Amino acid sequence: MRKKASMPPSTSSDLTLSVNGEKYTLTVDHRTTLLDALRERLDLTGTKKGCDQGQCGACTVLVDGRRSVACLQLAVAAEGREITTIEGVAEGERLHPVQQAFLDLDGFQCGYCTPGQICSAIAVIEEHAAGWPSAATDDVRPEAGPPPLTPEEIRERMSGNLCRCGAYVSIVQAVARAAEEKGAVA
């Protein structure tokens, strides 16, 4: 008697992604990265593909308010989570304070890394305000509170985002200004 061949398991799934406050339902291969789903399937091309290895930070987005390099996260793992891309950080026509600071202080040159830098900076300011230490933090005891947001702290916290043009001085100034405007500077 012959056995009936079983069908191999499906390699794709239907999923719903919540991106910038809107829901998108799509079918994706299980191996599709969040970066490719955003750029290729949802046409949200502000998130850039740099190294595709999680080393440059150009694809940084916010997932539930936390920084995530979208090239290393699978799209199926982002279902049920709130994703914010550079297209979703402004409030209508009003730029996010970090975007405005980057613009005012020339925190970009070619602009390729800028969306990832801005998304990362937004999270950096929130992490700092919440008292999260960095490798540059001298006193990591919770009762010490947030450390001063010095240029050294900003550089350490932003170190996962590379700028090949070398706009680092202006990037640090932009993050400091946005944090100051938010009242997050200790």
Side-chain angles (χ1 to χ4, degrees), residues 86-97 99:
I86 192 66
E87 292 91 346
V89 299
E91 292 182 24
E93 295 295 315
R94 184 171 173 237
L95 294 178
H96 187 282
Q99 288 175 303

Side-chain angles (χ1 to χ4, degrees), residues 33 35 47-61 67-74 120 158-162 164:
T33 64
L35 174 61
T47 304
K48 303 301 184 205
K49 185 177 274 197
C51 66
D52 217 16
Q53 298 177 359
Q55 296 178 4
C56 73
C59 66
T60 302
V61 297
R67 296 182 272 180
S68 179
V69 284
C71 71
L72 294 183
Q73 182 165 352
L74 295 175
S120 189
M158 293 290 294
S159 65
N161 292 82
L162 303 179
R164 288 173 177 89

Side-chain angles (χ1 to χ4, degrees), residues 24-44:
Y24 299 90
T25 301
L26 57 155
T27 302
V28 297
D29 183 287
H30 294 155
R31 299 166 292 181
T32 302
T33 64
L34 179 58
L35 174 61
D36 287 336
L38 293 169
R39 289 184 57 80
E40 307 302 327
R41 301 296 305 281
L42 301 180
D43 203 29
L44 294 169

